[in-house]
Amino acid sequence: MKNQSNAICLCPLDGVIDTIGKKWGLLIVNEIGNHGILRYNELMSELKGISPSTLASMLKDLEKEELIEKEVFREIPPRVEYSLSTRGRELREAIIPLIKWASKKGNYSIHCSCNLFK
Amino acid sequence: MKNQSNAICLCPLDGVIDTIGKKWGLLIVNEIGNHGILRYNELMSELKGISPSTLASMLKDLEKEELIEKEVFREIPPRVEYSLSTRGRELREAIIPLIKWASKKGNYSIHCSCNLFK
DNA sequence: CTGAATCCTACAAGATACTG
DNA sequence: CAGTATCTTGTAGGATTCAG
């Protein structure tokens, strides 16, 4: 630790950043995390403003990155459940410091009623 | 803490996410953090691939968000030094868990020689 | 040296209609 | 219900040139 600078390298973020850096990336992961299990239409309702095409494309992305898991029930009408993978749950933990940091300056409280880090 | 769910609210990120979520946002903050002080052209060199217009626009953004500080020396040739604000330094700390998380799955090591979290 | 001005391209993401 | 198929728009970000 002496001969090594305190430099931080961001390379580890290289791949995932393209997914979780997108507008809805963290939002979706967190929403599923908050509920445990969510279906497509439930996500559409919770994430106010997202379009079906955007949501579908994001879900594919998140699944490919192994942040969420998808279970399909061959019923009529069809049922599909989304949940977080272990990796997804760990991500949700990992961003807590970032949220705490952001809360410090927050003018956000004007629009948000959450009181987690106040 | 009992009557409160373990739900996480992302609203605090609302404003800053538009800055640090951009392609070069965290990169610039971190690069300045690694060096302490950096000039415009030094950033151009370190951040391989960034264009002058993009860098200039990002620096304005980051300054507006009070993540970096800018000091202008009225010399010839002109000299401008960028450094992290306290808030910027705290941000840099806050993303460490995220980097550690990302490192766990890392195929990143192929392209990156940093060994901080291995 | 430190940017600003201009032009251009790629892509995220919204709106809408439709299907198995 | 859970998406797909199109179409459109806004904007990030690159390339290049110029200026104080």
Side-chain angles (χ1 to χ4, degrees), chain A residues 101 105 107, chain B residues 13-20 29 58-68 85 87-88 91:
Chain A
W101 167 84
K105 174 97 187 250
N107 23 18
Chain B
L13 296 177
D14 258 13
V16 268
I17 200 68
D18 288 338
T19 299
I20 64 177
V29 168
M58 282 305 306
L59 288 172
K60 274 187 186 169
D61 236 41
L62 292 169
E63 198 193 352
K64 198 181 60 185
E65 291 293 334
E66 298 180 345
L67 300 178
I68 65 174
S85 66
R87 186 165 163 75
L91 167 59

mmCIF file with all atom_site columns, all heavy atoms in Angstrom, chain A residues 101 105 107, chain B residues 13-20 29 58-68 85 87-88 91:
data_model
loop_
_atom_site.group_PDB
_atom_site.id
_atom_site.type_symbol
_atom_site.label_atom_id
_atom_site.label_alt_id
_atom_site.label_comp_id
_atom_site.label_asym_id
_atom_site.label_entity_id
_atom_site.label_seq_id
_atom_site.pdbx_PDB_ins_code
_atom_site.Cartn_x
_atom_site.Cartn_y
_atom_site.Cartn_z
_atom_site.occupancy
_atom_site.B_iso_or_equiv
_atom_site.pdbx_formal_charge
_atom_site.auth_seq_id
_atom_site.auth_comp_id
_atom_site.auth_asym_id
_atom_site.auth_atom_id
_atom_site.pdbx_PDB_model_num
ATOM 1   N N   . TRP A 1 101 ? -24.404 9.707  -0.656  1.00 0.00 ? 101 TRP A N   1
ATOM 2   C CA  . TRP A 1 101 ? -23.627 10.861 -1.081  1.00 0.00 ? 101 TRP A CA  1
ATOM 3   C C   . TRP A 1 101 ? -24.522 11.891 -1.750  1.00 0.00 ? 101 TRP A C   1
ATOM 4   O O   . TRP A 1 101 ? -24.473 13.075 -1.434  1.00 0.00 ? 101 TRP A O   1
ATOM 5   C CB  . TRP A 1 101 ? -22.517 10.419 -2.035  1.00 0.00 ? 101 TRP A CB  1
ATOM 6   C CG  . TRP A 1 101 ? -21.863 11.556 -2.751  1.00 0.00 ? 101 TRP A CG  1
ATOM 7   C CD1 . TRP A 1 101 ? -20.849 12.341 -2.300  1.00 0.00 ? 101 TRP A CD1 1
ATOM 8   C CD2 . TRP A 1 101 ? -22.190 12.052 -4.057  1.00 0.00 ? 101 TRP A CD2 1
ATOM 9   N NE1 . TRP A 1 101 ? -20.531 13.290 -3.233  1.00 0.00 ? 101 TRP A NE1 1
ATOM 10  C CE2 . TRP A 1 101 ? -21.333 13.134 -4.323  1.00 0.00 ? 101 TRP A CE2 1
ATOM 11  C CE3 . TRP A 1 101 ? -23.123 11.673 -5.027  1.00 0.00 ? 101 TRP A CE3 1
ATOM 12  C CZ2 . TRP A 1 101 ? -21.372 13.846 -5.517  1.00 0.00 ? 101 TRP A CZ2 1
ATOM 13  C CZ3 . TRP A 1 101 ? -23.177 12.389 -6.210  1.00 0.00 ? 101 TRP A CZ3 1
ATOM 14  C CH2 . TRP A 1 101 ? -22.299 13.462 -6.443  1.00 0.00 ? 101 TRP A CH2 1
ATOM 15  N N   . LYS A 1 105 ? -26.563 16.705 -0.735  1.00 0.00 ? 105 LYS A N   1
ATOM 16  C CA  . LYS A 1 105 ? -26.749 18.013 -1.350  1.00 0.00 ? 105 LYS A CA  1
ATOM 17  C C   . LYS A 1 105 ? -28.198 18.266 -1.710  1.00 0.00 ? 105 LYS A C   1
ATOM 18  O O   . LYS A 1 105 ? -28.573 19.319 -2.183  1.00 0.00 ? 105 LYS A O   1
ATOM 19  C CB  . LYS A 1 105 ? -25.902 18.090 -2.625  1.00 0.00 ? 105 LYS A CB  1
ATOM 20  C CG  . LYS A 1 105 ? -26.117 19.351 -3.442  1.00 0.00 ? 105 LYS A CG  1
ATOM 21  C CD  . LYS A 1 105 ? -25.071 20.396 -3.154  1.00 0.00 ? 105 LYS A CD  1
ATOM 22  C CE  . LYS A 1 105 ? -25.403 21.703 -3.837  1.00 0.00 ? 105 LYS A CE  1
ATOM 23  N NZ  . LYS A 1 105 ? -24.531 22.050 -4.929  1.00 0.00 ? 105 LYS A NZ  1
ATOM 24  N N   . ASN A 1 107 ? -31.525 18.749 -3.197  1.00 0.00 ? 107 ASN A N   1
ATOM 25  C CA  . ASN A 1 107 ? -32.719 19.515 -3.445  1.00 0.00 ? 107 ASN A CA  1
ATOM 26  C C   . ASN A 1 107 ? -33.795 18.539 -3.904  1.00 0.00 ? 107 ASN A C   1
ATOM 27  O O   . ASN A 1 107 ? -34.890 18.904 -4.240  1.00 0.00 ? 107 ASN A O   1
ATOM 28  C CB  . ASN A 1 107 ? -32.508 20.559 -4.533  1.00 0.00 ? 107 ASN A CB  1
ATOM 29  C CG  . ASN A 1 107 ? -31.364 20.174 -5.420  1.00 0.00 ? 107 ASN A CG  1
ATOM 30  O OD1 . ASN A 1 107 ? -30.954 19.011 -5.426  1.00 0.00 ? 107 ASN A OD1 1
ATOM 31  N ND2 . ASN A 1 107 ? -30.877 21.101 -6.185  1.00 0.00 ? 107 ASN A ND2 1
ATOM 32  N N   . LEU B 1 13  ? -30.611 10.705 -6.587  1.00 0.00 ? 13  LEU B N   1
ATOM 33  C CA  . LEU B 1 13  ? -29.718 10.748 -7.747  1.00 0.00 ? 13  LEU B CA  1
ATOM 34  C C   . LEU B 1 13  ? -30.260 11.629 -8.865  1.00 0.00 ? 13  LEU B C   1
ATOM 35  O O   . LEU B 1 13  ? -29.551 11.920 -9.831  1.00 0.00 ? 13  LEU B O   1
ATOM 36  C CB  . LEU B 1 13  ? -29.499 9.333  -8.292  1.00 0.00 ? 13  LEU B CB  1
ATOM 37  C CG  . LEU B 1 13  ? -28.788 8.346  -7.355  1.00 0.00 ? 13  LEU B CG  1
ATOM 38  C CD1 . LEU B 1 13  ? -28.711 6.969  -7.997  1.00 0.00 ? 13  LEU B CD1 1
ATOM 39  C CD2 . LEU B 1 13  ? -27.396 8.860  -7.027  1.00 0.00 ? 13  LEU B CD2 1
ATOM 40  N N   . ASP B 1 14  ? -31.508 12.023 -8.719  1.00 0.00 ? 14  ASP B N   1
ATOM 41  C CA  . ASP B 1 14  ? -32.204 12.728 -9.790  1.00 0.00 ? 14  ASP B CA  1
ATOM 42  C C   . ASP B 1 14  ? -31.382 13.751 -10.560 1.00 0.00 ? 14  ASP B C   1
ATOM 43  O O   . ASP B 1 14  ? -31.303 13.697 -11.765 1.00 0.00 ? 14  ASP B O   1
ATOM 44  C CB  . ASP B 1 14  ? -33.456 13.418 -9.239  1.00 0.00 ? 14  ASP B CB  1
ATOM 45  C CG  . ASP B 1 14  ? -34.701 12.620 -9.591  1.00 0.00 ? 14  ASP B CG  1
ATOM 46  O OD1 . ASP B 1 14  ? -34.542 11.459 -10.014 1.00 0.00 ? 14  ASP B OD1 1
ATOM 47  O OD2 . ASP B 1 14  ? -35.819 13.143 -9.439  1.00 0.00 ? 14  ASP B OD2 1
ATOM 48  N N   . GLY B 1 15  ? -30.789 14.686 -9.899  1.00 0.00 ? 15  GLY B N   1
ATOM 49  C CA  . GLY B 1 15  ? -30.068 15.735 -10.609 1.00 0.00 ? 15  GLY B CA  1
ATOM 50  C C   . GLY B 1 15  ? -28.715 15.303 -11.140 1.00 0.00 ? 15  GLY B C   1
ATOM 51  O O   . GLY B 1 15  ? -28.456 15.369 -12.334 1.00 0.00 ? 15  GLY B O   1
ATOM 52  N N   . VAL B 1 16  ? -27.847 14.862 -10.244 1.00 0.00 ? 16  VAL B N   1
ATOM 53  C CA  . VAL B 1 16  ? -26.473 14.524 -10.611 1.00 0.00 ? 16  VAL B CA  1
ATOM 54  C C   . VAL B 1 16  ? -26.342 13.419 -11.623 1.00 0.00 ? 16  VAL B C   1
ATOM 55  O O   . VAL B 1 16  ? -25.365 13.360 -12.362 1.00 0.00 ? 16  VAL B O   1
ATOM 56  C CB  . VAL B 1 16  ? -25.654 14.103 -9.384  1.00 0.00 ? 16  VAL B CB  1
ATOM 57  C CG1 . VAL B 1 16  ? -24.952 15.299 -8.795  1.00 0.00 ? 16  VAL B CG1 1
ATOM 58  C CG2 . VAL B 1 16  ? -26.525 13.397 -8.377  1.00 0.00 ? 16  VAL B CG2 1
ATOM 59  N N   . ILE B 1 17  ? -27.308 12.532 -11.656 1.00 0.00 ? 17  ILE B N   1
ATOM 60  C CA  . ILE B 1 17  ? -27.193 11.385 -12.559 1.00 0.00 ? 17  ILE B CA  1
ATOM 61  C C   . ILE B 1 17  ? -27.022 11.828 -14.006 1.00 0.00 ? 17  ILE B C   1
ATOM 62  O O   . ILE B 1 17  ? -26.371 11.164 -14.810 1.00 0.00 ? 17  ILE B O   1
ATOM 63  C CB  . ILE B 1 17  ? -28.430 10.454 -12.421 1.00 0.00 ? 17  ILE B CB  1
ATOM 64  C CG1 . ILE B 1 17  ? -28.115 9.061  -12.959 1.00 0.00 ? 17  ILE B CG1 1
ATOM 65  C CG2 . ILE B 1 17  ? -29.633 11.054 -13.104 1.00 0.00 ? 17  ILE B CG2 1
ATOM 66  C CD1 . ILE B 1 17  ? -27.117 8.303  -12.142 1.00 0.00 ? 17  ILE B CD1 1
ATOM 67  N N   . ASP B 1 18  ? -27.584 12.992 -14.328 1.00 0.00 ? 18  ASP B N   1
ATOM 68  C CA  . ASP B 1 18  ? -27.447 13.512 -15.687 1.00 0.00 ? 18  ASP B CA  1
ATOM 69  C C   . ASP B 1 18  ? -26.010 13.900 -15.986 1.00 0.00 ? 18  ASP B C   1
ATOM 70  O O   . ASP B 1 18  ? -25.602 13.995 -17.140 1.00 0.00 ? 18  ASP B O   1
ATOM 71  C CB  . ASP B 1 18  ? -28.361 14.729 -15.876 1.00 0.00 ? 18  ASP B CB  1
ATOM 72  C CG  . ASP B 1 18  ? -29.825 14.316 -15.948 1.00 0.00 ? 18  ASP B CG  1
ATOM 73  O OD1 . ASP B 1 18  ? -30.094 13.144 -16.274 1.00 0.00 ? 18  ASP B OD1 1
ATOM 74  O OD2 . ASP B 1 18  ? -30.685 15.155 -15.643 1.00 0.00 ? 18  ASP B OD2 1
ATOM 75  N N   . THR B 1 19  ? -25.244 14.150 -14.954 1.00 0.00 ? 19  THR B N   1
ATOM 76  C CA  . THR B 1 19  ? -23.841 14.510 -15.146 1.00 0.00 ? 19  THR B CA  1
ATOM 77  C C   . THR B 1 19  ? -22.924 13.299 -15.008 1.00 0.00 ? 19  THR B C   1
ATOM 78  O O   . THR B 1 19  ? -22.173 12.967 -15.924 1.00 0.00 ? 19  THR B O   1
ATOM 79  C CB  . THR B 1 19  ? -23.414 15.577 -14.123 1.00 0.00 ? 19  THR B CB  1
ATOM 80  O OG1 . THR B 1 19  ? -24.204 16.739 -14.306 1.00 0.00 ? 19  THR B OG1 1
ATOM 81  C CG2 . THR B 1 19  ? -21.951 15.929 -14.297 1.00 0.00 ? 19  THR B CG2 1
ATOM 82  N N   . ILE B 1 20  ? -23.007 12.622 -13.878 1.00 0.00 ? 20  ILE B N   1
ATOM 83  C CA  . ILE B 1 20  ? -22.091 11.510 -13.652 1.00 0.00 ? 20  ILE B CA  1
ATOM 84  C C   . ILE B 1 20  ? -22.502 10.252 -14.401 1.00 0.00 ? 20  ILE B C   1
ATOM 85  O O   . ILE B 1 20  ? -21.741 9.297  -14.476 1.00 0.00 ? 20  ILE B O   1
ATOM 86  C CB  . ILE B 1 20  ? -21.960 11.185 -12.147 1.00 0.00 ? 20  ILE B CB  1
ATOM 87  C CG1 . ILE B 1 20  ? -23.309 10.716 -11.584 1.00 0.00 ? 20  ILE B CG1 1
ATOM 88  C CG2 . ILE B 1 20  ? -21.450 12.390 -11.381 1.00 0.00 ? 20  ILE B CG2 1
ATOM 89  C CD1 . ILE B 1 20  ? -23.229 10.302 -10.126 1.00 0.00 ? 20  ILE B CD1 1
ATOM 90  N N   . VAL B 1 29  ? -13.901 12.929 -13.347 1.00 0.00 ? 29  VAL B N   1
ATOM 91  C CA  . VAL B 1 29  ? -13.795 13.119 -11.897 1.00 0.00 ? 29  VAL B CA  1
ATOM 92  C C   . VAL B 1 29  ? -12.674 12.254 -11.332 1.00 0.00 ? 29  VAL B C   1
ATOM 93  O O   . VAL B 1 29  ? -11.831 12.710 -10.558 1.00 0.00 ? 29  VAL B O   1
ATOM 94  C CB  . VAL B 1 29  ? -15.125 12.775 -11.193 1.00 0.00 ? 29  VAL B CB  1
ATOM 95  C CG1 . VAL B 1 29  ? -14.933 12.697 -9.687  1.00 0.00 ? 29  VAL B CG1 1
ATOM 96  C CG2 . VAL B 1 29  ? -16.181 13.813 -11.528 1.00 0.00 ? 29  VAL B CG2 1
ATOM 97  N N   . MET B 1 58  ? -18.227 18.904 -20.625 1.00 0.00 ? 58  MET B N   1
ATOM 98  C CA  . MET B 1 58  ? -18.269 18.116 -19.395 1.00 0.00 ? 58  MET B CA  1
ATOM 99  C C   . MET B 1 58  ? -17.701 18.904 -18.222 1.00 0.00 ? 58  MET B C   1
ATOM 100 O O   . MET B 1 58  ? -18.232 18.861 -17.113 1.00 0.00 ? 58  MET B O   1
ATOM 101 C CB  . MET B 1 58  ? -17.496 16.807 -19.572 1.00 0.00 ? 58  MET B CB  1
ATOM 102 C CG  . MET B 1 58  ? -18.235 15.723 -20.338 1.00 0.00 ? 58  MET B CG  1
ATOM 103 S SD  . MET B 1 58  ? -19.854 15.323 -19.641 1.00 0.00 ? 58  MET B SD  1
ATOM 104 C CE  . MET B 1 58  ? -19.467 14.949 -17.946 1.00 0.00 ? 58  MET B CE  1
ATOM 105 N N   . LEU B 1 59  ? -16.616 19.607 -18.471 1.00 0.00 ? 59  LEU B N   1
ATOM 106 C CA  . LEU B 1 59  ? -15.987 20.371 -17.393 1.00 0.00 ? 59  LEU B CA  1
ATOM 107 C C   . LEU B 1 59  ? -16.935 21.447 -16.870 1.00 0.00 ? 59  LEU B C   1
ATOM 108 O O   . LEU B 1 59  ? -17.025 21.674 -15.665 1.00 0.00 ? 59  LEU B O   1
ATOM 109 C CB  . LEU B 1 59  ? -14.677 20.984 -17.886 1.00 0.00 ? 59  LEU B CB  1
ATOM 110 C CG  . LEU B 1 59  ? -13.527 19.989 -18.094 1.00 0.00 ? 59  LEU B CG  1
ATOM 111 C CD1 . LEU B 1 59  ? -12.344 20.652 -18.776 1.00 0.00 ? 59  LEU B CD1 1
ATOM 112 C CD2 . LEU B 1 59  ? -13.104 19.370 -16.757 1.00 0.00 ? 59  LEU B CD2 1
ATOM 113 N N   . LYS B 1 60  ? -17.650 22.080 -17.779 1.00 0.00 ? 60  LYS B N   1
ATOM 114 C CA  . LYS B 1 60  ? -18.645 23.065 -17.354 1.00 0.00 ? 60  LYS B CA  1
ATOM 115 C C   . LYS B 1 60  ? -19.709 22.413 -16.489 1.00 0.00 ? 60  LYS B C   1
ATOM 116 O O   . LYS B 1 60  ? -20.099 22.925 -15.439 1.00 0.00 ? 60  LYS B O   1
ATOM 117 C CB  . LYS B 1 60  ? -19.309 23.694 -18.589 1.00 0.00 ? 60  LYS B CB  1
ATOM 118 C CG  . LYS B 1 60  ? -18.562 24.870 -19.156 1.00 0.00 ? 60  LYS B CG  1
ATOM 119 C CD  . LYS B 1 60  ? -19.391 25.518 -20.270 1.00 0.00 ? 60  LYS B CD  1
ATOM 120 C CE  . LYS B 1 60  ? -18.588 26.612 -20.963 1.00 0.00 ? 60  LYS B CE  1
ATOM 121 N NZ  . LYS B 1 60  ? -19.261 27.064 -22.214 1.00 0.00 ? 60  LYS B NZ  1
ATOM 122 N N   . ASP B 1 61  ? -20.178 21.282 -16.986 1.00 0.00 ? 61  ASP B N   1
ATOM 123 C CA  . ASP B 1 61  ? -21.205 20.529 -16.274 1.00 0.00 ? 61  ASP B CA  1
ATOM 124 C C   . ASP B 1 61  ? -20.744 20.165 -14.868 1.00 0.00 ? 61  ASP B C   1
ATOM 125 O O   . ASP B 1 61  ? -21.459 20.384 -13.888 1.00 0.00 ? 61  ASP B O   1
ATOM 126 C CB  . ASP B 1 61  ? -21.501 19.248 -17.054 1.00 0.00 ? 61  ASP B CB  1
ATOM 127 C CG  . ASP B 1 61  ? -22.968 19.121 -17.411 1.00 0.00 ? 61  ASP B CG  1
ATOM 128 O OD1 . ASP B 1 61  ? -23.559 20.145 -17.795 1.00 0.00 ? 61  ASP B OD1 1
ATOM 129 O OD2 . ASP B 1 61  ? -23.497 18.006 -17.310 1.00 0.00 ? 61  ASP B OD2 1
ATOM 130 N N   . LEU B 1 62  ? -19.563 19.614 -14.788 1.00 0.00 ? 62  LEU B N   1
ATOM 131 C CA  . LEU B 1 62  ? -19.034 19.163 -13.509 1.00 0.00 ? 62  LEU B CA  1
ATOM 132 C C   . LEU B 1 62  ? -18.806 20.334 -12.565 1.00 0.00 ? 62  LEU B C   1
ATOM 133 O O   . LEU B 1 62  ? -18.963 20.210 -11.350 1.00 0.00 ? 62  LEU B O   1
ATOM 134 C CB  . LEU B 1 62  ? -17.719 18.391 -13.726 1.00 0.00 ? 62  LEU B CB  1
ATOM 135 C CG  . LEU B 1 62  ? -17.868 17.046 -14.443 1.00 0.00 ? 62  LEU B CG  1
ATOM 136 C CD1 . LEU B 1 62  ? -16.512 16.500 -14.857 1.00 0.00 ? 62  LEU B CD1 1
ATOM 137 C CD2 . LEU B 1 62  ? -18.596 16.049 -13.543 1.00 0.00 ? 62  LEU B CD2 1
ATOM 138 N N   . GLU B 1 63  ? -18.450 21.468 -13.140 1.00 0.00 ? 63  GLU B N   1
ATOM 139 C CA  . GLU B 1 63  ? -18.231 22.644 -12.309 1.00 0.00 ? 63  GLU B CA  1
ATOM 140 C C   . GLU B 1 63  ? -19.570 23.176 -11.790 1.00 0.00 ? 63  GLU B C   1
ATOM 141 O O   . GLU B 1 63  ? -19.695 23.565 -10.634 1.00 0.00 ? 63  GLU B O   1
ATOM 142 C CB  . GLU B 1 63  ? -17.497 23.722 -13.114 1.00 0.00 ? 63  GLU B CB  1
ATOM 143 C CG  . GLU B 1 63  ? -16.845 24.777 -12.243 1.00 0.00 ? 63  GLU B CG  1
ATOM 144 C CD  . GLU B 1 63  ? -16.403 25.969 -13.062 1.00 0.00 ? 63  GLU B CD  1
ATOM 145 O OE1 . GLU B 1 63  ? -16.471 25.911 -14.304 1.00 0.00 ? 63  GLU B OE1 1
ATOM 146 O OE2 . GLU B 1 63  ? -16.010 26.993 -12.447 1.00 0.00 ? 63  GLU B OE2 1
ATOM 147 N N   . LYS B 1 64  ? -20.562 23.145 -12.656 1.00 0.00 ? 64  LYS B N   1
ATOM 148 C CA  . LYS B 1 64  ? -21.894 23.599 -12.267 1.00 0.00 ? 64  LYS B CA  1
ATOM 149 C C   . LYS B 1 64  ? -22.448 22.720 -11.149 1.00 0.00 ? 64  LYS B C   1
ATOM 150 O O   . LYS B 1 64  ? -23.115 23.211 -10.229 1.00 0.00 ? 64  LYS B O   1
ATOM 151 C CB  . LYS B 1 64  ? -22.830 23.579 -13.481 1.00 0.00 ? 64  LYS B CB  1
ATOM 152 C CG  . LYS B 1 64  ? -24.080 24.420 -13.302 1.00 0.00 ? 64  LYS B CG  1
ATOM 153 C CD  . LYS B 1 64  ? -24.967 24.336 -14.547 1.00 0.00 ? 64  LYS B CD  1
ATOM 154 C CE  . LYS B 1 64  ? -25.388 22.900 -14.814 1.00 0.00 ? 64  LYS B CE  1
ATOM 155 N NZ  . LYS B 1 64  ? -26.143 22.742 -16.080 1.00 0.00 ? 64  LYS B NZ  1
ATOM 156 N N   . GLU B 1 65  ? -22.154 21.454 -11.216 1.00 0.00 ? 65  GLU B N   1
ATOM 157 C CA  . GLU B 1 65  ? -22.609 20.519 -10.184 1.00 0.00 ? 65  GLU B CA  1
ATOM 158 C C   . GLU B 1 65  ? -21.709 20.578 -8.957  1.00 0.00 ? 65  GLU B C   1
ATOM 159 O O   . GLU B 1 65  ? -21.888 19.804 -8.010  1.00 0.00 ? 65  GLU B O   1
ATOM 160 C CB  . GLU B 1 65  ? -22.647 19.096 -10.735 1.00 0.00 ? 65  GLU B CB  1
ATOM 161 C CG  . GLU B 1 65  ? -23.728 18.841 -11.769 1.00 0.00 ? 65  GLU B CG  1
ATOM 162 C CD  . GLU B 1 65  ? -25.136 18.916 -11.169 1.00 0.00 ? 65  GLU B CD  1
ATOM 163 O OE1 . GLU B 1 65  ? -25.265 18.671 -9.961  1.00 0.00 ? 65  GLU B OE1 1
ATOM 164 O OE2 . GLU B 1 65  ? -26.076 19.226 -11.922 1.00 0.00 ? 65  GLU B OE2 1
ATOM 165 N N   . GLU B 1 66  ? -20.728 21.433 -9.029  1.00 0.00 ? 66  GLU B N   1
ATOM 166 C CA  . GLU B 1 66  ? -19.804 21.619 -7.903  1.00 0.00 ? 66  GLU B CA  1
ATOM 167 C C   . GLU B 1 66  ? -19.040 20.366 -7.527  1.00 0.00 ? 66  GLU B C   1
ATOM 168 O O   . GLU B 1 66  ? -18.793 20.105 -6.347  1.00 0.00 ? 66  GLU B O   1
ATOM 169 C CB  . GLU B 1 66  ? -20.568 22.160 -6.686  1.00 0.00 ? 66  GLU B CB  1
ATOM 170 C CG  . GLU B 1 66  ? -21.194 23.521 -6.964  1.00 0.00 ? 66  GLU B CG  1
ATOM 171 C CD  . GLU B 1 66  ? -21.959 24.058 -5.759  1.00 0.00 ? 66  GLU B CD  1
ATOM 172 O OE1 . GLU B 1 66  ? -22.232 23.260 -4.857  1.00 0.00 ? 66  GLU B OE1 1
ATOM 173 O OE2 . GLU B 1 66  ? -22.268 25.259 -5.734  1.00 0.00 ? 66  GLU B OE2 1
ATOM 174 N N   . LEU B 1 67  ? -18.668 19.602 -8.547  1.00 0.00 ? 67  LEU B N   1
ATOM 175 C CA  . LEU B 1 67  ? -17.860 18.412 -8.308  1.00 0.00 ? 67  LEU B CA  1
ATOM 176 C C   . LEU B 1 67  ? -16.386 18.714 -8.534  1.00 0.00 ? 67  LEU B C   1
ATOM 177 O O   . LEU B 1 67  ? -15.521 18.064 -7.962  1.00 0.00 ? 67  LEU B O   1
ATOM 178 C CB  . LEU B 1 67  ? -18.308 17.280 -9.233  1.00 0.00 ? 67  LEU B CB  1
ATOM 179 C CG  . LEU B 1 67  ? -19.764 16.851 -9.052  1.00 0.00 ? 67  LEU B CG  1
ATOM 180 C CD1 . LEU B 1 67  ? -20.138 15.763 -10.043 1.00 0.00 ? 67  LEU B CD1 1
ATOM 181 C CD2 . LEU B 1 67  ? -20.000 16.373 -7.623  1.00 0.00 ? 67  LEU B CD2 1
ATOM 182 N N   . ILE B 1 68  ? -16.128 19.700 -9.366  1.00 0.00 ? 68  ILE B N   1
ATOM 183 C CA  . ILE B 1 68  ? -14.741 20.105 -9.597  1.00 0.00 ? 68  ILE B CA  1
ATOM 184 C C   . ILE B 1 68  ? -14.607 21.617 -9.420  1.00 0.00 ? 68  ILE B C   1
ATOM 185 O O   . ILE B 1 68  ? -15.597 22.348 -9.433  1.00 0.00 ? 68  ILE B O   1
ATOM 186 C CB  . ILE B 1 68  ? -14.257 19.721 -11.013 1.00 0.00 ? 68  ILE B CB  1
ATOM 187 C CG1 . ILE B 1 68  ? -15.036 20.504 -12.075 1.00 0.00 ? 68  ILE B CG1 1
ATOM 188 C CG2 . ILE B 1 68  ? -14.397 18.225 -11.247 1.00 0.00 ? 68  ILE B CG2 1
ATOM 189 C CD1 . ILE B 1 68  ? -14.526 20.277 -13.477 1.00 0.00 ? 68  ILE B CD1 1
ATOM 190 N N   . SER B 1 85  ? -13.553 19.238 -5.929  1.00 0.00 ? 85  SER B N   1
ATOM 191 C CA  . SER B 1 85  ? -14.109 19.877 -4.744  1.00 0.00 ? 85  SER B CA  1
ATOM 192 C C   . SER B 1 85  ? -14.237 18.812 -3.664  1.00 0.00 ? 85  SER B C   1
ATOM 193 O O   . SER B 1 85  ? -14.012 17.627 -3.911  1.00 0.00 ? 85  SER B O   1
ATOM 194 C CB  . SER B 1 85  ? -15.490 20.442 -5.055  1.00 0.00 ? 85  SER B CB  1
ATOM 195 O OG  . SER B 1 85  ? -16.378 19.375 -5.317  1.00 0.00 ? 85  SER B OG  1
ATOM 196 N N   . ARG B 1 87  ? -16.914 17.820 -2.391  1.00 0.00 ? 87  ARG B N   1
ATOM 197 C CA  . ARG B 1 87  ? -18.004 16.973 -2.861  1.00 0.00 ? 87  ARG B CA  1
ATOM 198 C C   . ARG B 1 87  ? -17.533 15.985 -3.925  1.00 0.00 ? 87  ARG B C   1
ATOM 199 O O   . ARG B 1 87  ? -17.965 14.834 -3.963  1.00 0.00 ? 87  ARG B O   1
ATOM 200 C CB  . ARG B 1 87  ? -19.114 17.869 -3.423  1.00 0.00 ? 87  ARG B CB  1
ATOM 201 C CG  . ARG B 1 87  ? -20.362 17.146 -3.818  1.00 0.00 ? 87  ARG B CG  1
ATOM 202 C CD  . ARG B 1 87  ? -21.522 18.107 -4.017  1.00 0.00 ? 87  ARG B CD  1
ATOM 203 N NE  . ARG B 1 87  ? -22.593 17.498 -4.768  1.00 0.00 ? 87  ARG B NE  1
ATOM 204 C CZ  . ARG B 1 87  ? -23.422 16.600 -4.262  1.00 0.00 ? 87  ARG B CZ  1
ATOM 205 N NH1 . ARG B 1 87  ? -23.284 16.219 -3.008  1.00 0.00 ? 87  ARG B NH1 1
ATOM 206 N NH2 . ARG B 1 87  ? -24.374 16.066 -4.995  1.00 0.00 ? 87  ARG B NH2 1
ATOM 207 N N   . GLY B 1 88  ? -16.657 16.437 -4.771  1.00 0.00 ? 88  GLY B N   1
ATOM 208 C CA  . GLY B 1 88  ? -16.112 15.561 -5.803  1.00 0.00 ? 88  GLY B CA  1
ATOM 209 C C   . GLY B 1 88  ? -15.270 14.442 -5.208  1.00 0.00 ? 88  GLY B C   1
ATOM 210 O O   . GLY B 1 88  ? -15.325 13.300 -5.655  1.00 0.00 ? 88  GLY B O   1
ATOM 211 N N   . LEU B 1 91  ? -17.555 11.940 -3.723  1.00 0.00 ? 91  LEU B N   1
ATOM 212 C CA  . LEU B 1 91  ? -18.143 11.107 -4.774  1.00 0.00 ? 91  LEU B CA  1
ATOM 213 C C   . LEU B 1 91  ? -17.197 9.979  -5.140  1.00 0.00 ? 91  LEU B C   1
ATOM 214 O O   . LEU B 1 91  ? -17.585 8.829  -5.283  1.00 0.00 ? 91  LEU B O   1
ATOM 215 C CB  . LEU B 1 91  ? -18.441 11.946 -6.014  1.00 0.00 ? 91  LEU B CB  1
ATOM 216 C CG  . LEU B 1 91  ? -18.757 11.152 -7.286  1.00 0.00 ? 91  LEU B CG  1
ATOM 217 C CD1 . LEU B 1 91  ? -19.966 10.246 -7.081  1.00 0.00 ? 91  LEU B CD1 1
ATOM 218 C CD2 . LEU B 1 91  ? -18.986 12.093 -8.465  1.00 0.00 ? 91  LEU B CD2 1
#
